[in-house]
Amino acid sequence: MPKRALILKGGTMRGAFTVGALKTVHRLLGVNHFDAIFATSVGVFEQAFFASEQIFFMENTWREYVHGNKLIKLTNFFKRKPILDLDYLVELFQSEKSMLDIQKMKNARPQLLTFVTDYETREPTLMDLKNGPVFDIMRATSAIPMIYPKKVVLNGRRYVDSWMADESKFHKFIKETLKDYDEVLAISTYEEDKGLSEVKHIIKPSVMPLWGVLDTNQYRLIKTIEQGEKDAEKFIIENNLLNNK
């Protein structure tokens, strides 16, 4: 059997596209199709809920709980508070509204690995979501200091979003990480993604309903989820990925 990896790239609110795409990937390929799932930035949240097969919670969170000022609060810039309220999101995933089934996530077949950056050295590294403090890792991998300046410290080191790594080092790190896999499927929230230049199969938006990475309009978020579903289905069928199940 070929060794398969799935990689989920971030993009703040563009993560709605990943939600839709993963709904289709789950329906057509399934979680067990993959040996490992890698994530960057907010892709870590979709990674966790996809692995735990909580597709409904994953979609419902993006449809109902992140629009308006719930997750992104631009006015906080003037109050010297975080613009991106990661704490709200993490608390949501520990509440009845969108509770992550951590045990089911840990029992999932694929490895769950997420990219983070050492704040001091700017070196990219990987963290194992199954064998670490889940919610702290989630904060670390999504912590862009400009919009979430709170320090996330793990094992005595501060970590931030993989976007903060040296670009050339990060691209090389991704390439090295994926070289042991025979088949790699990526979901990107951007039409062009230099960081995935070595990946053959990339699901990406044919159009992007959102106006930007901080767009929290509920209607456009829902349209972006739906766009992810459509683009993923078209890509999987056109590239005969179903024949490789």
Side-chain angles (χ1 to χ4, degrees):
M1 287 287 291
K3 194 174 180 182
R4 299 185 177 111
L6 174 64
I7 182 167
L8 311 174
K9 294 294 292 292
T12 316
M13 301 313 294
R14 282 174 171 253
F17 179 84
T18 305
V19 171
L22 279 177
K23 280 185 64 184
T24 298
V25 171
H26 185 270
R27 175 168 57 85
L28 297 180
L29 299 177
V31 174
N32 293 335
H33 183 77
F34 305 99
D35 296 282
I37 304 173
F38 297 89
T40 72
S41 193
V42 296
V44 71
F45 300 109
E46 288 91 0
Q47 176 194 44
F49 278 89
F50 176 74
S52 65
E53 302 203 55
Q54 293 176 284
I55 305 302
F56 171 78
F57 278 165
M58 180 177 69
E59 179 180 15
N60 193 55
T61 297
W62 281 92
R63 283 179 174 266
E64 301 295 338
Y65 297 124
V66 299
H67 63 276
N69 292 323
K70 291 181 171 68
L71 180 61
I72 303 288
K73 300 179 181 179
L74 296 176
T75 55
N76 276 356
F77 174 79
F78 304 102
K79 302 175 183 178
R80 296 186 177 182
K81 294 181 179 180
I83 294 173
L84 174 62
D85 194 350
L86 285 178
D87 300 322
Y88 161 76
L89 202 56
V90 166
E91 288 168 8
L92 190 64
F93 296 148
Q94 298 175 80
S95 74
E96 291 184 1
K97 292 179 180 178
S98 298
M99 185 172 290
L100 174 65
D101 189 333
I102 294 179
Q103 194 57 53
K104 193 169 184 181
M105 182 200 78
K106 290 186 175 183
N107 290 339
R109 176 178 180 269
Q111 285 185 287
L112 302 178
L113 301 165
T114 184
F115 294 94
V116 293
T117 300
D118 185 297
Y119 181 77
E120 297 296 333
T121 66
R122 291 297 192 268
E123 292 287 336
T125 189
L126 278 173
M127 288 195 172
D128 187 338
L129 200 60
K130 290 185 178 183
N131 294 306
V134 173
F135 296 113
D136 287 338
I137 292 174
M138 286 179 167
R139 285 189 180 93
T141 195
S142 304
I144 301 175
M146 292 81 79
I147 58 176
Y148 185 79
K150 293 184 179 181
K151 294 181 180 180
V152 183
V153 178
L154 296 164
N155 299 320
R157 305 289 299 179
R158 181 183 178 185
Y159 292 97
V160 291
D161 193 299
S162 57
W163 180 75
M164 299 299 296
D166 177 271
E167 186 175 12
S168 61
K169 288 183 179 180
F170 184 55
H171 291 174
K172 183 179 179 181
F173 189 68
I174 287 182
K175 183 178 179 180
E176 286 294 311
T177 300
L178 298 177
K179 70 179 182 180
D180 294 329
Y181 294 88
D182 304 299
E183 297 175 12
V184 179
L185 175 64
I187 300 175
S188 177
T189 60
Y190 291 91
E191 293 83 348
E192 299 295 330
D193 195 329
K194 295 178 181 179
L196 296 174
S197 59
E198 303 294 326
V199 178
K200 179 181 178 182
H201 291 129
I202 307 174
I203 298 170
K204 51 191 176 183
S206 56
V207 295
M208 174 50 71
L210 289 176
W211 292 355
V213 296
L214 300 181
D215 184 358
T216 59
N217 177 272
Q218 187 177 27
Y219 172 79
R220 290 191 290 273
L221 283 168
I222 292 172
K223 297 302 290 184
T224 302
I225 293 171
E226 293 169 351
Q227 190 64 47
E229 292 183 69
K230 290 187 288 188
D231 285 338
E233 181 167 7
K234 181 179 180 183
F235 184 90
I236 289 171
I237 292 172
E238 288 183 350
N239 287 274
N240 299 313
L241 298 187
L242 289 174
N243 294 335
N244 297 327
K245 285 188 67 175

